Amino acid sequence: MEEEGMEEEGGSGGCEAMMDDQNHNNWGAGDYGRHLLGPAAAPLGDRLLHGPAAVPTAGTELPAVPEANGVLRGCEPGKGGAGAIAAAININASTSKFLMNVITIEDYKSTYWPKLDSAIDQLLTQSPGDYIPISYEQIYSCVYKCVCQQHSEQMYSDLIKKITNHLERVSKELQASPPDLYIERFNVALGQYMGALQSIVPLFIYMNKFYIETKLNRDLKDDLIKLFTEHVAEKHIYNLMPLLLEAQSTPFQITPSTMANIVKGLYTLRPEWVQMAPALFSKFIPNILPPAVESELQEYAAQDQKLQRELMQNGFDR
């Protein structure tokens, strides 16, 4: 397939011509029409978050002309037959255009997925503030067309495999980290991945809505967070937690923001990890510990005095 076909607006993919696909999405022409890409000039964020209104253009959103006894309604003499015939011609033209733009599995593997693969690579490895030289509009349109052409299942499988391989490499790099760099590198890996999801999930919004939610009864963001939990966090939690506890007992060994990011991130990934270090999690997650009782007030006061002494020893005035 010609590569320039990918540059067309998403609405030209002809999704409205498909009433059901092999992924059992069961889209109606009217329902899916509300999710068509708007004009290229419209902000991408508005379309991702709010869903664009379908903009009628040539060859899209054409009125159906039902048949009665094999004759197009409206074609009877004196009942606007010319208009109905014109509509039928337009429908045939739209259908022909759609059939000419069929994306085969070979097209998907050779043209469409490589573009998605490259964009995902860049999003997963970017540093905060980096400029990513990719066309979000093109990637968004590419996903949209693949969903329309019944490649949702393959695309989802490729996405999961791609990100799994990336996370396995991240895990191996962490395993090779020395103890004094372990916490910082885990924090970078966690922050980088969560930041990447903020772009990856919206770009695959159509696959999420019309395949993952509909057929798998799941959510893409939840699936991708689970991947990090399984392939990175679970493999490192028993090495990471003792280092966090040691850092907690040695003020300013790591920055407070790093400690907060990791603890909050671990709680998001798996709340039951709180039981491994309740006191540590309680410093950053509210209502983790049971309410204070009067009999323990002296212990709380002793802890505060100890903290004040440590602060003074590190140059902080009272």
Side-chain angles (χ1 to χ4, degrees), residues 108 116 143 146-147 151-159 207:
Y108 167 81
L116 297 175
V143 171
C146 290
V147 170
H151 298 301
S152 295
E153 184 174 0
Q154 182 66 52
M155 184 163 52
Y156 176 73
S157 175
D158 289 339
L159 176 64
M207 182 182 72

Side-chain angles (χ1 to χ4, degrees), residues 3-23:
E3 184 170 336
E4 59 266 24
M6 294 180 56
E7 302 297 337
E8 299 175 1
E9 284 300 311
S12 66
C15 270
E16 63 271 23
M18 298 161 48
M19 305 304 293
D20 192 5
D21 69 5
Q22 66 184 14
N23 296 326

Side-chain angles (χ1 to χ4, degrees), residues 245-257:
L245 292 173
E246 179 184 349
Q248 179 194 19
S249 63
T250 307
F252 312 109
Q253 180 175 332
I254 63 173
T255 64
S257 61

